[in-house]
Amino acid sequence: MSIYTCPHCGEKTFTPIKKAVSGTMKSKGKPCPKCGKLCVNGKGATIFEAVLYLVGFAFIIYVYLHGLDNVWMYTHEVPIVIGIIALMFVIPKIVNAFCFRMVQSIRLDAYK
């Protein structure tokens, strides 16, 4: 069931899963099944991902610096960091699947 519109041809050809893996404006993008041109999630998705990575990095630094403050955090430091890194890659995919609009890919190397 395609519910998202391709910015090139105007047809509803993208499902939430295809939209989630199409990436942000820094990625190559995914081709439209109808017209074959590359599409990505817009500027909002790129900004959201950058802010989320900065916040995740700040939490990792916090856990590293304050891991010795209490016993629980010291014994669970590695799982906490692995969980933060996993969330930094999963949350943008979920948000991209439903929130941001599709735009044309502007990367020049994507068309070589």
Side-chain angles (χ1 to χ4, degrees), residues 89-103:
F89 288 105
V90 171
I91 290 174
K93 300 286 185 211
I94 294 170
V95 172
N96 287 345
F98 299 106
C99 292
F100 302 106
R101 66 183 185 94
M102 299 289 288
V103 296

Side-chain angles (χ1 to χ4, degrees), residues 30-48:
K30 293 291 176 192
C32 172
K34 189 109 175 167
C35 65
K37 295 185 179 177
L38 297 174
C39 303
V40 295
N41 290 299
K43 288 181 187 176
T46 307
I47 293 169
F48 175 78

Side-chain angles (χ1 to χ4, degrees), residues 21-29 39-41 105-107 110:
V21 297
S22 65
T24 59
M25 295 185 77
K26 66 179 183 173
S27 67
K28 180 181 174 183
C39 303
V40 295
N41 290 299
S105 179
I106 58 172
R107 280 185 48 173

Side-chain angles (χ1 to χ4, degrees), residues 35-70:
C35 65
K37 295 185 179 177
L38 297 174
C39 303
V40 295
N41 290 299
K43 288 181 187 176
T46 307
I47 293 169
F48 175 78
E49 187 173 308
V51 169
L52 186 72
Y53 284 174
L54 286 174
V55 170
F57 182 70
F59 276 125
I60 289 172
I61 297 298
Y62 177 80
V63 169
Y64 177 73
L65 293 176
H66 296 285
L68 295 174
D69 291 348
N70 61 29

